[in-house]
Amino acid sequence: MAVIADRCPNIEVTVVDLNETRIAAWNDADLSKLPIYEPGLDEVVARTRGRNLHFSTDVVNAIASADIVFISVNTPTKTKGLGSGEASDLRWVEACARQVAECAKGHTIVVEKSTLPVRTAKTIQVILQAAQKCDSRDQQEKSFVVLSNPEFLAEGTAIKDLISPDRVLIGGEDAKAIKSLSKIYEQWVPKEKILCTNLWSSELSKLTANAFLAQRISSINAVAELCEVTGADVREVAKAIGTDSRIGQRFLNSGPGFGGSCFKKDILNLVYLCKHFGLHEVAQYWQNVVTLNNWQQTRIARLIVEKLFGTVTGKKLAVFGFAFKANTNDTREAPAISIAKDLLDEGAQLAIYDPKVNAKQISLDLNMPASSPPDAKAGPTRSALSGEGSWWSSQNINDAVNGADAVVILTEWSQFKELNWSEIAPLMRKPAWIFDARSVVDPNTVKLAGLKLWRVGDGT
Ligand code: UGA
């Protein structure tokens, strides 16, 4: 919405939320306090906020005065009831649709921006139509059109992705409404990049695009494990296959598995849909993408334990990176969570360092309070001696590696590419290991510093 406001100064954009704290943060004069860390977003907000971009909790009036309403609420995986663990929880989408139905005035185009299961537009349409029929209080005609307009931006590159998208997808049946929405994007996106489809194709394309991307990651991670036992190198294999223009180079980086709020949720949703329609083989096919992803995380934790003489109990390990990818403070489904939990179960003492993720978030994700950083001179801590895992948030690299048996790199922050291993090595307890799950280190420099190295997919 910030980018729409930036590119279309003639359009008034109001972002509304019931959460007062969240809206206050979006209105904070200090732009470093915006609720989301996203490169370039602060500049866009600085240019537009108060001009034609507004953040407000006045949901009722914003809906009443809007020509177009974008439903952009989250749709997490259901945790209980029918479809638990797979289906999307649509309660917030439904609540939005009901509120739009109640508060809208005149003709309103309702746009599904959230990622939704196929045929959700039908539910929204039925709710809106019901309001259309029964509204007689103010004698004002109310009418609605529903469009699907899924978002394809990736976190960390969101502004760039929005400014020059590969495509904008608009699904719907009403030509006039499609034209109105298309005209907004046409203010900065070339017209040939705006694809129009029917509602169901648009909804399904979003889920499918994410499933394809995630499937590539699981495929390359499966190859990585094979590389490790055969003497091949996954980076070389990825390059070799990626030069085939039919395959392409992108999204072939082997790592600790995909994280983020979308891939797993969307695939599980696809699995649920397939099962619902009796397509069990298709459901199983997509399920395996998630299974392989879970395995990648489990096996990394296991091999760390194995290489450290079969035990990490009481050992200090430095974890570099907690966000699910670089350039974001988002930790949702981050592979670091499951790997760190497995290591904590084994009794490890984890010094976690991430340039953007704070200790409060890590504590929530690990479901464990932080311990205070141990005093190196005071000997082993009580938890280390008792065999219980513990963690704390390190403010810098040197504190994190001091006395550590291993460094585990789980996010590809660019600063990890520039680490000076010959300075780090003397601070660690020998034999010291570097576990590079993101292929960010230069193997020769690490080895020259006298450190042992495991890299994902490196069988050489
Ligand atoms: C993903 C899609 O890329 C977007 O197109 C989509 O709009 C978005 O989900 C969404 O549905 O909202 P995002 O999750 O922000 O975007 O980030 P990605 O760059 O796709 O990365 C997802 C995960 O895959 C990260 O954990 C990343 O480290 C991992 N990844 C990515 C790899 O392990 N290897 C790769 O080669 C690429």
Side-chain angles (χ1 to χ4, degrees):
M1 290 304 121
V3 169
I4 289 181
D6 195 30
R7 298 285 142 162
C8 313
N10 55 330
I11 294 177
E12 288 292 315
V13 179
T14 307
V15 178
V16 288
D17 199 297
L18 296 173
N19 184 333
E20 286 176 11
T21 321
R22 184 62 61 95
I23 289 297
W26 281 112
N27 280 323
D28 201 308
D30 180 355
L31 288 164
S32 68
K33 295 214 176 108
L34 295 185
I36 295 171
Y37 170 70
E38 186 62 49
L41 177 62
D42 49 354
E43 290 157 36
V44 180
V45 171
R47 274 200 296 276
T48 51
R49 198 174 57 184
R51 184 187 79 183
N52 62 331
L53 176 67
H54 314 280
F55 295 95
S56 161
T57 49
D58 187 357
V59 181
V60 173
N61 280 317
I63 294 173
S65 60
D67 299 306
I68 305 183
V69 175
F70 291 83
I71 297 184
S72 318
V73 290
N74 62 340
T75 50
T77 305
K78 276 181 86 171
T79 52
K80 56 183 178 188
L82 194 65
S84 173
E86 287 178 348
S88 285
D89 192 338
L90 297 178
R91 75 178 102 157
W92 294 282
V93 173
E94 183 178 332
C96 277
R98 289 186 187 279
Q99 190 157 24
V100 173
E102 190 186 325
C103 305
K105 290 203 160 71
H107 185 64
T108 310
I109 299 172
V110 178
V111 181
E112 299 175 333
K113 192 49 121 173
S114 303
T115 300
L116 297 167
V118 196
R119 301 201 75 83
T120 306
K122 188 78 211 160
T123 309
I124 298 175
Q125 268 166 352
V126 170
I127 291 170
L128 296 173
Q129 271 161 14
Q132 228 163 283
K133 280 185 208 128
C134 68
D135 181 69
S136 56
R137 285 165 300 180
D138 54 8
Q139 300 300 311
Q140 199 176 9
E141 273 282 313
K142 246 186 220 206
S143 57
F144 300 98
V145 172
V146 179
L147 298 179
S148 159
N149 174 219
E151 186 47 63
F152 294 101
L153 68 82
E155 289 181 31
T157 52
I159 302 295
K160 189 175 126 287
D161 296 343
L162 286 162
I163 289 173
S164 44
D166 287 342
R167 79 308 211 180
V168 167
L169 183 56
I170 301 176
E173 320 301 334
D174 185 298
K176 208 168 150 208
I178 293 172
K179 200 168 165 202
S180 300
L181 183 57
S182 177
K183 270 190 146 169
I184 295 178
Y185 290 107
E186 280 168 39
Q187 297 202 37
W188 79 95
V189 178
K191 217 173 166 182
E192 61 277 11
K193 287 197 171 180
I194 302 176
L195 310 182
C196 298
T197 66
N198 78 27
L199 267 172
W200 322 123
S201 302
S202 172
E203 288 180 334
L204 188 57
S205 298
K206 171 65 196 180
L207 290 184
T208 314
N210 275 354
F212 264 62
L213 290 169
Q215 180 238 44
R216 268 174 85 93
I217 300 169
S218 280
S219 296
I220 200 69
N221 285 341
V223 172
E225 192 173 2
L226 192 55
C227 287
E228 286 166 31
V229 292
T230 54
D233 183 327
V234 75
R235 286 147 291 270
E236 292 178 353
V237 175
K239 194 169 181 192
I241 62 172
T243 44
D244 184 327
S245 59
R246 293 168 302 173
I247 297 176
Q249 295 283 2
R250 296 180 68 192
F251 259 73
L252 283 181
N253 295 323
S254 179
F258 56 78
S261 65
C262 307
F263 284 174
K264 189 170 166 196
K265 161 179 84 80
D266 291 350
I267 295 177
L268 292 176
N269 195 329
L270 207 55
V271 168
Y272 182 71
L273 275 172
C274 294
K275 284 186 189 164
H276 174 79
F277 289 108
L279 312 179
H280 297 290
E281 289 75 10
V282 184
Q284 192 55 51
Y285 174 77
W286 291 114
Q287 176 64 53
N288 282 340
V289 173
V290 176
T291 305
L292 201 288
N293 197 55
N294 294 341
W295 168 239
Q296 182 75 347
Q297 293 164 29
T298 307
R299 85 175 184 93
I300 288 177
R302 278 193 198 175
L303 68 86
I304 292 171
V305 177
E306 277 161 17
K307 296 224 183 281
L308 297 178
F309 308 115
T311 176
V312 291
T313 308
K315 289 181 183 166
K316 180 180 170 186
L317 273 55
V319 174
F320 285 3
F322 203 79
F324 83 98
K325 63 186 281 194
N327 298 320
T328 177
N329 59 352
D330 195 344
T331 60
R332 287 175 292 175
E333 298 293 338
I337 301 174
S338 97
I339 294 172
K341 276 186 174 170
D342 284 354
L343 295 171
L344 289 168
D345 281 349
E346 295 277 348
Q349 314 287 297
L350 303 181
I352 302 179
Y353 170 79
D354 188 290
K356 288 289 173 197
V357 181
N358 60 39
K360 196 172 150 209
Q361 187 59 48
I362 299 174
S363 174
L364 282 172
D365 290 332
L366 295 178
N367 200 15
M368 190 191 242
S371 301
S372 42
D375 177 355
K377 290 185 207 110
T381 59
R382 187 183 299 206
S383 59
L385 289 171
S386 71
E388 278 169 34
S390 69
W391 73 274
W392 60 94
S393 172
S394 276
Q395 297 313 306
N396 63 60
I397 299 281
N398 282 6
D399 281 353
V401 298
N402 200 8
D405 288 85
V407 170
V408 184
I409 304 175
L410 297 177
T411 311
E412 72 285 18
W413 286 101
S414 62
Q415 68 183 93
F416 301 153
K417 295 177 188 156
E418 287 141 23
L419 292 173
N420 187 335
W421 293 105
S422 59
E423 279 177 15
I424 289 174
L427 302 174
M428 300 179 71
R429 188 169 81 155
K430 306 295 172 331
W433 276 89
I434 309 303
F435 294 96
D436 181 7
R438 291 285 190 176
S439 301
V440 292
V441 306
D442 170 38
N444 290 332
T445 332
V446 172
K447 285 178 194 160
L448 275 175
L451 298 163
K452 291 177 170 294
L453 175 66
W454 172 87
R455 282 200 306 164
V456 67
D458 190 349
T460 59

